[in-house]
Amino acid sequence: MSSDPGVVLQCPTNAPEPDALCEALAAALEAVLTEAESARHIRRSQIPPAKSPPIADTDTLRLVLSDVRSDRISGHLTWQSGDGSALTGPEVALDVMDTTLSAKMYPRFARGLLQASPKIIKSLHD
């Protein structure tokens, strides 16, 4: 049966501690889906910084990073539904002062990405 309401979460590999970044985004996404009482499940995959095509017939949420430095990370979310429709969220940045960017800061960045992309969140619920 192919009625799995899953979402593929594609995370970039060009961030410091990419697994931690993906985990933070997955946790923030799980919180949003739980709050919405969604039955969707998240499947994670990592992608190289260069764009790769979305997986056909699969709902895919991708984090695209545009800037990664020791004091800044910025990027946006893209959404590709299994039917081919696509959305792109706004650029979100996390800047730090007097310290360097670390994985413990990723949850705040992940929540900011989701909060800045209400149309994508609505698509997750549909």
Side-chain angles (χ1 to χ4, degrees):
M1 186 152 61
S2 65
S3 62
D4 174 42
V7 174
V8 173
L9 174 61
Q10 293 184 329
C11 300
T13 58
N14 62 328
E17 300 182 65
D19 291 337
L21 178 58
C22 197
E23 181 61 38
L25 187 54
L29 186 55
E30 283 282 356
V32 167
L33 293 175
T34 299
E35 184 178 301
E37 299 178 1
S38 174
R40 289 185 178 247
H41 303 285
I42 300 169
R43 295 177 305 215
R44 283 181 260 176
S45 71
Q46 291 200 326
I47 55 170
K51 289 191 172 192
S52 61
I55 302 166
D57 299 324
T58 304
D59 291 345
T60 304
L61 181 67
R62 178 186 298 205
L63 171 56
V64 179
L65 295 179
S66 55
D67 192 15
V68 179
R69 296 182 289 196
S70 64
D71 63 346
R72 176 185 177 86
I73 187 168
S74 65
H76 64 274
L77 296 175
T78 63
W79 169 257
Q80 177 82 41
S81 72
D83 67 11
S85 61
L87 295 168
T88 300
E91 188 80 10
V92 172
L94 175 65
D95 294 298
V96 296
M97 294 175 52
D98 301 329
T99 189
T100 56
L101 189 67
S102 70
K104 68 182 178 187
M105 299 170 189
Y106 288 159
R108 186 173 70 178
F109 179 60
R111 286 189 304 271
L113 285 162
L114 292 171
Q115 289 170 351
S117 304
K119 288 182 181 175
I120 291 175
I121 299 307
K122 183 180 180 327
S123 294
L124 285 167
H125 300 172
D126 293 344

